[in-house]
C-alpha cells in the first residue's frame, strides 16, 4: 500500500520555510505498513493543487496534504478540496464548540474570520484538531482517500498520532506486510572503501532487500530496507551479517542520534556529564538535553565564548591563553577538567576552535577544533579539521565530541 | 522564468532525512529572477526519476536535481541521466585530477569505486565540485536545462553559489523581471484579527501582489510577493503602507531571524549579552552565536540544568529554590542578575521552566516558563505558558526571550 504527501504553501517554494512535515509523516506511515512514494510541494494556487492531486491519485490511493487551512485569504486548500470533491461548505457544531473552548480566554480570536474555520466540506469526515482551529478532513472517492491537515508542525503531528493514523489503520482491510528498515552507524572508513568491502554481501542480498549508504559529518549510516518481501526474522539475519562485517567501524546498531546513545549509557550507569564550550557555543549542551529524561545525566555547561569567561569562570590562566593560543590542547584540557570539577560530574567535554568565517591563521585555519574529554580515568584531547563553513564546523565538532565520548564509554 | 527541483533519495521518503536543500535553492533562484514552481522528492529508482523529469519538463524549462551521485550501488542518478539524455560515460581528466588532489592525503579513498566518480556523461557540461568527488553536471536539450548536483548540503551550496547560479545567469538571454519578496514580523495579535484589520489593504492590492500570513511560535511573518509585475519602487510603496498599518505590532521590517535583529543592535551599540539557561539548555546561547560576528556581542552562558549548578555557579540560594521552586520569578531573576555580574555584560537573559514531558504539577503545568532580562536599568521577568511538547516549549521560550530583549533594546 502506497501513499503520497502534497505540502501546500508559497512559503515552501520561495525558501522561507523548510518542509519538516513530510519526513515525519513518512516515518509514521512506514510504521503502519504504508510506503511513501513521492513528496510534492506546490503553491497556494487552485490549478496547481488540483493538478498535483490528479497526478498523485494516478499513482497511489492515499494522499495526505498539509497546509493552506488558516483563516486568512492566502489559504485556499479547503475551497480547492470542495471543488475537487464537488461539495459545499456547511457549519459543523462540534468544530464550533471546540473553537469556542480553545479560545475561551482570548475573545479577540473569536471573530468572523475564525468563524470560517468551523465551515467544513459537507462530504468530508471531520476529525478533531485538539490544539488548533483548522479541523482535520478526510475525503473518500471510490478506493481513494484524501487526508487534509494543517501545516503547523505540532498541530499536524498531534492530529496524525491521535486521529489520522488510527483512522488509516481502520481503513486498511488486508493486513499489510511490514516495511522494515534497520540502520547501523559506522565511522573511520571512507564510503567507497566500505562499499568495496561489502560487495560480496550486496551481491548475495535478495532483490527485495536494499542497502543504502548515508554519509554525514564523518559518520556513515548503513540502512537495510525491505518493502514487504522479507520476514522480520530474515531481516534480522541479514542485519546480523552486516553488523559482523562492519564490526571494526561500528558505533551503533540503531539509527538513534549520538546524543541518545550517549544518554542511554550514562543513565544506565548513573553517571553524569557537563560541557565547556567555546566554538560550539551551547550546541553540544542543547543536543545532550534535547530529549526527555536528560536531567538524569546532563548537569550543565559553561559556554565561554569570550576569553574573559574562560579565565574568570573556567579558571584558564591568561598566561596559558597567551602562550598557546585559545585554540590549543592546553586550553581545551583545562576547560574540560575545570568544568568537570566545578559542576562535579563524572565526565565532561570541552571544545575550542575556529568556526569562521574570520579568525583563521596559517597554522590554525578556519575549521581547526580542539576537543577534550575529562573522565574518571584521565583527560584525552584531539585536534580536528572540520571544513570551512561555520555551521558545518560546529555541527561536526558536536559529532566528533559525541563519537569520542561514546568510544570512551564503551572502553571504560 | 520557472524552474523545478527534484530531490532524489529513498532516505527522504522513509523520513530518515529532512530535505533542507530545496528551500535554500528556492531562495537563491528567486534572487536571480527564477521562480521555483514545484519541489518533488522521488526514490532512487530509474523509472520514478524518469517520470519526475518528464513531468517537470512538461511544466518548466529548468530542472535542478540533488542526490544519488555517490560512488555506491544505491546511487543511480548519473546512469539514469545518461539514459535520459541518450549518452554514455567518458573519463574526465579534470575531474580525475581534482579527485586525486582532494584525497591526496587519504590513499584509502582512491580506490576503484571512487574512480567511477570521474566518469561523466559525454554530452554534459561538467562544473567543478570544489569540496567533493561528485561533479556538477549540466545537460541541454533544446530550450531545456537540467542541472544535477550532489545531495550533501554543503557540497550543493558551494556548487550552486560558485558554479550553477553564474552558469544559469549566463544562460538567461532576456533580463528577468525581478521576483520581489518583502517580509515584516509582528507579534501580540491573532492572525485572524490582523487579517480583518488588513482587509481594506488586501482588497486594494493589485492582482499580481500577494500577501501571505506565516504564524509560528507567537510571531506572524507577513510577506508581500510579486512575481515580476511590480517595480521595486511600487513594492516599496505597498510595503510602507503595510508597515504603517501594523506599526502597533511590529517587531521587525525584515525577515531576519530574531537573534540577527538582536545581534545587529547590540553590535552597533557595542553592548554585550550573556545567558543563564535552565529549560532552554543552551538553545538560546546557540541562537545568539549562530551567525558570523557574534563574538562582538555574545560573551557566554551558564547552563544550569541541575539545581546544584544554579546554587554553586549562579549563586541561587538553596533556600530560595526550596521556598519558591526552581521555576519561579525569584529564581529566574537571580539567575539573570548573577550571570550578568559574573560574565560582566550589559544584558542577560535567564530561563527556567518545565519543558516536559514530566515535571509538571497542577500549579505549574508542563510548558510553564519564567524568563528574566537583566539590563543596565533593572531586571524584568515574565511568566509564559508555551504548550505541551518539549521541543515546542523550548523553541517558543527562545522566541519569547528574544522578542522581550528586542523590546527592551528598542525602548532603552
Amino acid at each position: 500500500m502506497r501513499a503520497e504527501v502534497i505540502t501546500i504553501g508559497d512559503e515552501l517554494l520561495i525558501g522561507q520555510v523548510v518542509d519538516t512535515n513530510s519526513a515525519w509523516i513518512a516515518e509514521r506511515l512506514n510504521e503502519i505498513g504504508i510506503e511513501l512514494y513521492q513528496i510534492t510541494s506546490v503553491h497556494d494556487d487552485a490549478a496547481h493543487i488540483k493538478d498535483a492531486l490528479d497526478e498523485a491519485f494516478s499513482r497511489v490511493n492515499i494522499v495526505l496534504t498539509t497546509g493552506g487551512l488558516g483563516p486568512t485569504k492566502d489559504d485556499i486548500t479547503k475551497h480547492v478540496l470542495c471543488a475537487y470533491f464537488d461539495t459545499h461548505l456547511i457549519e459543523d457544531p462540534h468544530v464550533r464548540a471546540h473553537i469556542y473552548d480553545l479560545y475561551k480566554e482570548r475573545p479577540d480570536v473569536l471573530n468572523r474570520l475564525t468563524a470560517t474555520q468551523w465551515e467544513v466540506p459537507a462530504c468530508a469526515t471531520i476529525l478533531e484538531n485538539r490544539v488548533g482551529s483548522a479541523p482535520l478532513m478526510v475525503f473518500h472517492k471510490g478506493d481513494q482517500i484524501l487526508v487534509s491537515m494543517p501545516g503547523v508542525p505540532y498541530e499536524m503531528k498531534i492530529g496524525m498520532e491521535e486521529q489520522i493514523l488510527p483512522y488509516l489503520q481502520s481503513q486498511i482491510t488486508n493486513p499489510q506486510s511490514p516495511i522494515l528498515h534497520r540502520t547501523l552507524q559506522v565511522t573511520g572508513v571512507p564510503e567507497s572503501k566500505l562499499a568495496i568491502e561489502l560487495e560480496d554481501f550486496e551481491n548475495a542480498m535478495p532483490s527485495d532487500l536494499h542497502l543504502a549508504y548515508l554519509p554525514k559529518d564523518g559518520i556513515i549510516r548503513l540502512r537495510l530496507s525491505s518493502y514487504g518481501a522479507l520476514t522480520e526474522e530474515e531481516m534480522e539475519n541479514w542485519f546480523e551479517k552486516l553488523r559482523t562485517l562492519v564490526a571494526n567501524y561500528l558505533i551503533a546498531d540503531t539509527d538513534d542520534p549520538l546524543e541518545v546513545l550517549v544518554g542511554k549509557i550514562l543513565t544506565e550507569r548513573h553517571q553524569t556529564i557537563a560541557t565547556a564550550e567555546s566554538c560550539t557555543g551551547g550546541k553540544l549542551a542543547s543536543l545532550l538535553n534535547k530529549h526527555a529524561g536528560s536531567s538524569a545525566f546532563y548537569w550543565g555547561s559553561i559556554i565561554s565564548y569570550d576569553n574573559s569567561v574562560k579565565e574568570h569562570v573556567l579558571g584558564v590562566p591568561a598566561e596559558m591563553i597567551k602562550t598557546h593560543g585559545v585554540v590549543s590542547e592546553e586550553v581545551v584540557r583545562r576547560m574540560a577538567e575545570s568544568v568537570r570539577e566545578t559542576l562535579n560530574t563524572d565526565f565532561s567535554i570541552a571544545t575550542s576552535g575556529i568556526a569562521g568565517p574570520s579568525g583563521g591563521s596559517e597554522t590554525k585555519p578556519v575549521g581547526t577544533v580542539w576537543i577534550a574529554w575529562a573522565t574518571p580515568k584521565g583527560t584525552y584531547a584531539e585536534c580536528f579539521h572540520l571544513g570551512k563553513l561555520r555551521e558545518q564546523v560546529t555541527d561536526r565538532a558536536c559529532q566528533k565530541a559525541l563519537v569520542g565520548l561514546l568510544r570512551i564509554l564503551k572502553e571504560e
Side-chain angles (χ1 to χ4, degrees), chain A:
Chain A
M1 184 160 290
R2 300 196 307 188
E4 292 200 9
V5 166
I6 299 174
T7 59
I8 301 167
D10 290 347
E11 66 276 16
L12 301 164
L13 292 152
I14 67 168
Q16 200 166 23
V17 168
V18 169
D19 167 26
T20 56
N21 284 342
S22 298
W24 190 91
I25 294 171
E27 217 177 332
R28 292 289 93 72
L29 290 177
N30 275 201
E31 285 166 6
I32 60 167
I34 297 174
E35 180 192 342
L36 184 60
Y37 186 67
Q38 184 168 310
I39 300 162
T40 309
S41 298
V42 301
H43 282 280
D44 292 301
D45 174 274
H48 197 176
I49 296 170
K50 187 189 165 299
D51 288 348
L53 289 172
D54 282 341
E55 285 178 10
F57 277 124
S58 77
R59 293 181 291 254
V60 302
N61 276 339
I62 302 174
V63 175
L64 300 100
T65 72
T66 64
L69 298 182
T72 56
K73 217 177 167 179
D74 53 319
D75 283 328
I76 62 169
T77 302
K78 192 163 67 180
H79 300 282
V80 174
L81 293 178
C82 271
Y84 195 80
F85 290 100
D86 196 19
T87 188
H88 58 281
L89 292 174
I90 54 167
E91 285 204 3
D92 185 313
H94 299 290
V95 177
R96 179 165 59 187
H98 164 65
I99 291 177
Y100 265 92
D101 186 54
L102 197 63
Y103 298 125
K104 58 178 181 266
E105 279 156 26
R106 299 184 58 192
D108 57 343
V109 182
L110 287 169
N111 51 48
R112 66 184 153 79
L113 275 192
T114 298
T116 63
Q117 294 291 73
W118 59 71
E119 292 171 3
V120 302
C123 75
T125 303
I126 303 302
L127 302 174
E128 188 180 86
N129 172 359
R130 184 163 60 82
V131 290
S133 66
L136 310 163
M137 303 180 288
V138 183
F139 299 82
H140 284 262
K141 199 178 200 173
D143 284 352
Q144 299 178 334
I145 301 177
L146 183 131
V147 176
S148 166
M149 299 179 284
V152 180
Y154 78 98
E155 292 186 28
M156 180 282 290
K157 286 179 188 174
I158 291 176
M160 275 287 282
E161 295 276 18
E162 296 180 359
Q163 303 280 357
I164 303 300
L165 289 169
Y167 186 87
L168 288 177
Q169 276 185 297
S170 75
Q171 300 292 310
I172 300 172
T173 41
N174 306 322
Q176 298 296 301
S177 312
I179 296 175
L180 301 172
H181 302 293
R182 288 296 301 272
T183 298
L184 49 79
Q185 301 179 63
V186 299
T187 191
V189 58
E191 185 187 12
S192 54
K193 181 163 182 269
L194 185 63
I196 290 172
E197 293 180 13
L198 294 177
E199 257 173 4
D200 290 344
F201 174 82
E202 284 202 65
N203 290 333
M205 290 193 319
S207 65
D208 324 281
L209 189 63
H210 301 277
L211 177 64
Y213 295 74
L214 302 170
K216 199 190 165 196
D217 295 342
I219 289 168
I220 303 171
R221 288 187 282 175
L222 283 174
R223 189 193 68 235
L224 283 175
S225 297
S226 159
Y227 290 87
L230 267 67
T231 65
E232 287 195 32
E233 202 190 328
E234 286 166 332
M235 176 59 115
E236 187 54 41
N237 288 339
W238 281 101
F239 186 71
E240 201 43 50
K241 272 182 213 167
L242 182 61
R243 213 167 81 101
T244 311
L245 286 169
V246 302
N248 284 340
Y249 318 121
L250 193 72
I251 50 171
D253 56 8
T254 67
D255 199 19
D256 285 337
L258 293 171
E259 70 274 12
V260 171
L261 298 169
V262 162
K264 278 182 183 168
I265 298 176
L266 290 172
T267 306
E268 259 171 38
R269 299 188 190 168
H270 302 287
Q271 289 180 316
T272 56
I273 189 163
T275 71
E277 304 180 45
S278 186
C279 66
T280 51
K283 213 177 237 189
L284 190 53
S286 297
L287 281 174
L288 285 168
N289 62 55
K290 186 176 177 185
H291 306 277
S294 56
S295 55
F297 62 87
Y298 171 70
W299 248 223
S301 297
I302 292 169
I303 317 297
S304 55
Y305 219 63
D306 192 70
N307 284 350
S308 67
V309 185
K310 290 184 188 74
E311 286 172 35
H312 300 130
V313 186
L314 285 173
V316 180
E319 197 52 35
M320 185 188 269
I321 295 179
K322 209 174 156 194
T323 312
H324 301 284
V326 71
V327 179
S328 63
E329 177 165 1
E330 288 78 4
V331 168
V332 83
R333 276 177 174 269
R334 181 60 68 93
M335 287 169 66
E337 285 165 5
S338 169
V339 80
R340 179 171 175 267
E341 233 169 83
T342 310
L343 270 61
N344 195 22
T345 54
D346 297 297
F347 297 91
S348 74
I349 308 180
T351 63
S352 182
I354 301 146
S358 63
S361 67
E362 199 153 318
T363 49
K364 290 176 186 169
V366 167
T368 307
V369 178
W370 271 99
I371 302 178
W373 298 263
T375 82
K377 292 198 179 163
T379 305
Y380 314 91
E382 197 175 343
C383 185
F384 300 92
H385 296 279
L386 303 174
K388 300 274 165 246
L389 302 175
R390 188 176 176 85
E391 213 170 336
Q392 182 193 14
V393 172
T394 53
D395 281 344
R396 286 181 173 180
C398 292
Q399 296 279 313
K400 296 291 183 196
L402 292 172
V403 169
L405 178 64
L406 206 53
R407 286 222 178 103
I408 289 167
L409 288 173
K410 287 187 173 178
E411 280 161 20
E412 290 210 337

